[in-house]
Amino acid sequence: MFDLGDLAQSVIAGDVAKSTELTKKALEMGVAPLDIINKGLIAGMEVVGERFKKGDMFVPEVLVAARAMNSGLDLIRPLLAETDIKGLGTVVIGTVKGDLHDIGKNLVAMMMESGGFKVINLGVDVPVEKFVEAVRTHKPQIVGMSALLTTTMLVMRDVVSALKESGLRDSVKVMIGGAPVTADYAKEIGADGYAPDAVSATDLAKKFVAA
Ligand code: B1M
């Protein structure tokens, strides 16, 4: 029986070699990829988040933990993509202007990809105009925005307004997420939906394209 707590611990410790080794081992032992992500890699990152919040961990330690988490995710990503059906539609996703947090956004992108969407990941610190331009160019069914800061979540409203002004708002569903974001905020700014995590973001995206 594989203990996913050990994997979480390797992320907390920022031990890239160990998290790589344990992810490989978990896969060999037949642990479900989503369990490895949620109960191992993300569980570890959640502890890191709590410690960072309390001031028990600092930026460099958070970054090595993120690297350890990503080394495990890199091994799982191709497996998720292999097992699912492609072709549900296109999602443009990015972290809004002023915000450099991308761990959660990349998880959402990865889950959506493995759930059958083509994902165009605009990266971090994405200006309002770049979202609009990407919608114009790629004609996605969904545009997703992520923000982790209470200051940058305000940019989401600007993107919705800019899409309206460009006449593109009705051509896409707008989905938002990130730690400070709520369903009420989504309603308030005129987005179509909010998701609290990567799995529910993918479920919501599927609902959007099925509607
Ligand atoms: Co930052 N940081 N950070 N940080 N950081 C937070 C967000 C913070 C809450 C920490 C704290 O408690 N003090 C705080 C924000 C406070 C606030 O605004 N209220 C904060 C701060 C203040 C800052 C800086 C200002 C610190 C400084 O420099 N003084 C600075 C800002 C830089 C900037 O963006 N301009 C900063 C920097 C950093 C690092 C660079 C060190 C690093 C980011 C590395 C990276 O992303 N490449 C970092 C990290 C890692 C965090 C914490 C610890 C963890 C965030 C994370 O990755 N969580 C975070 C504390 C916390 O959240 N507890 C914190 C794990 C990830 C899996 O979860 O991102 O929530 P999350 O994503 C989830 C869901 O939210 C959802 O699904 C994901 C997967 O389940 N989701 C979506 C996300 N996007 C979605 C989009 C969707 C749907 C769902 O639809 C499109």
Side-chain angles (χ1 to χ4, degrees):
M1 182 67 183
F2 187 86
D3 186 356
L4 286 166
D6 291 343
L7 179 57
Q9 206 51 50
S10 70
V11 171
I12 298 165
D15 190 335
V16 174
K18 189 110 192 168
S19 67
T20 306
E21 180 202 320
L22 290 176
T23 302
K24 273 188 194 152
K25 208 168 179 182
L27 287 169
E28 277 163 19
M29 289 178 71
V31 182
L34 276 181
D35 282 344
I36 300 177
I37 294 178
N38 290 323
K39 298 179 188 164
L41 299 167
I42 295 188
M45 205 58 212
E46 274 168 4
V47 173
V48 172
E50 283 310 307
R51 292 191 185 166
F52 184 58
K53 205 162 154 182
K54 284 192 207 140
D56 293 339
M57 266 178 114
F58 301 98
V59 171
E61 296 163 285
V62 173
L63 291 177
V64 286
R67 206 173 303 145
M69 184 188 79
N70 281 325
S71 70
L73 286 179
D74 286 345
L75 294 171
I76 294 172
R77 191 173 289 117
L79 300 178
L80 288 176
E82 251 173 37
T83 51
D84 288 290
I85 332 118
K86 290 276 160 203
L88 283 184
T90 302
V91 180
V92 159
I93 192 166
T95 301
V96 297
K97 178 85 188 149
D99 200 319
L100 303 175
H101 296 86
D102 68 354
I103 297 170
K105 182 263 298 167
N106 287 342
L107 272 171
V108 172
M110 192 179 102
M111 290 289 175
M112 285 192 174
E113 218 161 43
S114 67
F117 289 92
K118 176 181 175 191
V119 176
I120 293 162
N121 192 335
L122 302 178
V124 296
D125 194 19
V126 179
V128 173
E129 315 78 58
K130 195 166 169 190
F131 277 107
V132 175
E133 204 39 54
V135 170
R136 189 174 285 125
T137 310
H138 300 289
K139 302 184 176 37
Q141 282 71 29
I142 299 162
V143 59
M145 289 181 270
S146 180
L148 265 286
L149 301 172
T150 45
T151 45
T152 57
M153 65 188 267
L154 307 177
V155 179
M156 293 170 159
R157 187 194 291 273
D158 300 339
V159 174
V160 175
S161 302
L163 286 170
K164 274 187 198 152
E165 280 160 24
S166 320
L168 293 165
R169 177 65 186 93
D170 294 338
S171 69
V172 279
K173 293 286 186 189
V174 177
M175 181 195 297
I176 62 172
V181 177
T182 61
D184 283 347
Y185 183 65
K187 235 182 242 165
E188 188 191 315
I189 65 168
D192 297 294
Y194 153 81
D197 56 57
V199 172
S200 37
T202 308
D203 288 345
L204 182 60
K206 285 182 180 169
K207 271 190 205 141
F208 282 155
V209 292

